[in-house]
PDB file of all heavy atoms in Angstrom:
ATOM      1  N   THR A  90     115.655 117.761 144.888  1.00 93.00           N
ATOM      2  CA  THR A  90     114.562 118.757 145.206  1.00 93.00           C
ATOM      3  C   THR A  90     113.428 118.585 144.141  1.00 93.00           C
ATOM      4  O   THR A  90     112.159 118.674 144.545  1.00 93.00           O
ATOM      5  CB  THR A  90     115.150 120.177 145.075  1.00 93.00           C
ATOM      6  OG1 THR A  90     116.237 120.242 145.896  1.00 93.00           O
ATOM      7  CG2 THR A  90     114.087 121.228 145.386  1.00 93.00           C
ATOM      8  N   GLN A  96     106.696 114.413 144.101  1.00 84.00           N
ATOM      9  CA  GLN A  96     106.038 113.642 145.048  1.00 84.00           C
ATOM     10  C   GLN A  96     104.938 114.428 145.801  1.00 84.00           C
ATOM     11  O   GLN A  96     103.875 114.017 146.037  1.00 84.00           O
ATOM     12  CB  GLN A  96     106.913 112.957 145.983  1.00 84.00           C
ATOM     13  CG  GLN A  96     107.794 111.957 145.237  1.00 84.00           C
ATOM     14  CD  GLN A  96     108.733 111.287 146.190  1.00 84.00           C
ATOM     15  OE1 GLN A  96     108.915 111.675 147.396  1.00 84.00           O
ATOM     16  NE2 GLN A  96     109.559 110.290 145.721  1.00 84.00           N
ATOM     17  N   GLY A 282     134.750 102.552 101.789  1.00 94.00           N
ATOM     18  CA  GLY A 282     133.526 102.021 101.730  1.00 94.00           C
ATOM     19  C   GLY A 282     132.470 102.939 101.125  1.00 94.00           C
ATOM     20  O   GLY A 282     132.693 103.904 100.548  1.00 94.00           O
ATOM     21  N   LEU A 296     132.864  98.724 111.609  1.00 96.00           N
ATOM     22  CA  LEU A 296     133.646  97.914 112.529  1.00 96.00           C
ATOM     23  C   LEU A 296     134.483  96.875 111.713  1.00 96.00           C
ATOM     24  O   LEU A 296     135.799  96.635 111.983  1.00 96.00           O
ATOM     25  CB  LEU A 296     132.872  97.211 113.581  1.00 96.00           C
ATOM     26  CG  LEU A 296     132.202  98.131 114.608  1.00 96.00           C
ATOM     27  CD1 LEU A 296     131.240  97.266 115.518  1.00 96.00           C
ATOM     28  CD2 LEU A 296     133.285  98.955 115.389  1.00 96.00           C
ATOM     29  N   VAL A 454     129.363  98.003  76.283  1.00 93.00           N
ATOM     30  CA  VAL A 454     130.864  98.076  76.185  1.00 93.00           C
ATOM     31  C   VAL A 454     131.286  98.882  77.432  1.00 93.00           C
ATOM     32  O   VAL A 454     132.282  98.449  78.146  1.00 93.00           O
ATOM     33  CB  VAL A 454     131.275  98.908  74.953  1.00 93.00           C
ATOM     34  CG1 VAL A 454     132.724  99.289  75.032  1.00 93.00           C
ATOM     35  CG2 VAL A 454     130.945  98.231  73.687  1.00 93.00           C
ATOM     36  N   VAL A 485     150.564 103.853 105.174  1.00 88.00           N
ATOM     37  CA  VAL A 485     150.520 102.949 104.008  1.00 88.00           C
ATOM     38  C   VAL A 485     149.247 101.984 104.201  1.00 88.00           C
ATOM     39  O   VAL A 485     148.442 101.714 103.347  1.00 88.00           O
ATOM     40  CB  VAL A 485     151.749 102.100 103.980  1.00 88.00           C
ATOM     41  CG1 VAL A 485     151.565 100.849 103.077  1.00 88.00           C
ATOM     42  CG2 VAL A 485     152.938 102.917 103.481  1.00 88.00           C
ATOM     43  N   THR A 490     144.700 100.262 102.052  1.00 94.00           N
ATOM     44  CA  THR A 490     143.466  99.522 102.312  1.00 94.00           C
ATOM     45  C   THR A 490     142.224 100.102 101.773  1.00 94.00           C
ATOM     46  O   THR A 490     141.310  99.555 101.193  1.00 94.00           O
ATOM     47  CB  THR A 490     143.329  99.331 103.946  1.00 94.00           C
ATOM     48  OG1 THR A 490     144.446  98.660 104.459  1.00 94.00           O
ATOM     49  CG2 THR A 490     142.015  98.582 104.249  1.00 94.00           C
ATOM     50  N   SER A 511     148.396 109.824  89.054  1.00 91.00           N
ATOM     51  CA  SER A 511     149.427 109.373  88.080  1.00 91.00           C
ATOM     52  C   SER A 511     149.817 110.550  87.204  1.00 91.00           C
ATOM     53  O   SER A 511     151.108 110.596  86.855  1.00 91.00           O
ATOM     54  CB  SER A 511     148.818 108.235  87.324  1.00 91.00           C
ATOM     55  OG  SER A 511     147.732 108.598  86.534  1.00 91.00           O
ATOM     56  N   LEU A 522     160.100 117.622  96.503  1.00 71.00           N
ATOM     57  CA  LEU A 522     158.899 118.260  96.600  1.00 71.00           C
ATOM     58  C   LEU A 522     157.993 117.447  97.752  1.00 71.00           C
ATOM     59  O   LEU A 522     158.137 116.326  97.907  1.00 71.00           O
ATOM     60  CB  LEU A 522     158.036 118.169  95.315  1.00 71.00           C
ATOM     61  CG  LEU A 522     156.758 119.075  95.247  1.00 71.00           C
ATOM     62  CD1 LEU A 522     157.167 120.463  95.346  1.00 71.00           C
ATOM     63  CD2 LEU A 522     156.050 118.674  93.923  1.00 71.00           C
ATOM     64  N   GLN A 697      96.566 113.112  93.733  1.00 77.00           N
ATOM     65  CA  GLN A 697      95.627 114.127  93.891  1.00 77.00           C
ATOM     66  C   GLN A 697      96.373 115.406  93.910  1.00 77.00           C
ATOM     67  O   GLN A 697      96.817 115.874  94.986  1.00 77.00           O
ATOM     68  CB  GLN A 697      94.706 113.844  95.122  1.00 77.00           C
ATOM     69  CG  GLN A 697      94.061 112.504  95.266  1.00 77.00           C
ATOM     70  CD  GLN A 697      93.042 112.371  94.120  1.00 77.00           C
ATOM     71  OE1 GLN A 697      92.496 113.302  93.546  1.00 77.00           O
ATOM     72  NE2 GLN A 697      92.808 111.083  93.664  1.00 77.00           N
ATOM     73  N   ASN A 763      70.750 104.422  73.308  1.00 88.00           N
ATOM     74  CA  ASN A 763      71.598 103.555  74.077  1.00 88.00           C
ATOM     75  C   ASN A 763      70.914 102.889  75.278  1.00 88.00           C
ATOM     76  O   ASN A 763      70.961 101.689  75.617  1.00 88.00           O
ATOM     77  CB  ASN A 763      72.962 104.241  74.345  1.00 88.00           C
ATOM     78  CG  ASN A 763      73.707 104.562  73.210  1.00 88.00           C
ATOM     79  OD1 ASN A 763      73.649 103.903  72.220  1.00 88.00           O
ATOM     80  ND2 ASN A 763      74.590 105.464  73.448  1.00 88.00           N
ATOM     81  N   ASN A 967      74.045  63.831  71.699  1.00 79.00           N
ATOM     82  CA  ASN A 967      73.093  64.887  71.485  1.00 79.00           C
ATOM     83  C   ASN A 967      72.754  65.649  72.733  1.00 79.00           C
ATOM     84  O   ASN A 967      71.605  66.091  73.024  1.00 79.00           O
ATOM     85  CB  ASN A 967      71.712  64.226  70.963  1.00 79.00           C
ATOM     86  CG  ASN A 967      71.123  63.200  71.901  1.00 79.00           C
ATOM     87  OD1 ASN A 967      71.865  62.627  72.735  1.00 79.00           O
ATOM     88  ND2 ASN A 967      69.941  62.806  71.701  1.00 79.00           N
ATOM     89  N   TRP A1129     115.582 119.875 102.488  1.00 96.00           N
ATOM     90  CA  TRP A1129     115.242 118.915 103.560  1.00 96.00           C
ATOM     91  C   TRP A1129     115.792 119.376 104.912  1.00 96.00           C
ATOM     92  O   TRP A1129     115.132 119.222 105.969  1.00 96.00           O
ATOM     93  CB  TRP A1129     115.773 117.557 103.264  1.00 96.00           C
ATOM     94  CG  TRP A1129     114.812 116.777 102.251  1.00 96.00           C
ATOM     95  CD1 TRP A1129     113.678 117.276 101.750  1.00 96.00           C
ATOM     96  CD2 TRP A1129     115.073 115.484 101.653  1.00 96.00           C
ATOM     97  NE1 TRP A1129     113.147 116.247 100.895  1.00 96.00           N
ATOM     98  CE2 TRP A1129     113.917 115.192 100.805  1.00 96.00           C
ATOM     99  CE3 TRP A1129     116.141 114.602 101.774  1.00 96.00           C
ATOM    100  CZ2 TRP A1129     113.991 114.128 100.168  1.00 96.00           C
ATOM    101  CZ3 TRP A1129     116.032 113.398 101.144  1.00 96.00           C
ATOM    102  CH2 TRP A1129     114.865 113.092 100.298  1.00 96.00           C
TER     103      TRP A1129
END
Side-chain angles (χ1 to χ4, degrees):
T90 304
Q96 293 177 356
L296 294 176
V454 173
V485 169
T490 300
S511 61
L522 194 66
Q697 304 295 331
N763 293 337
N967 58 347
W1129 280 356

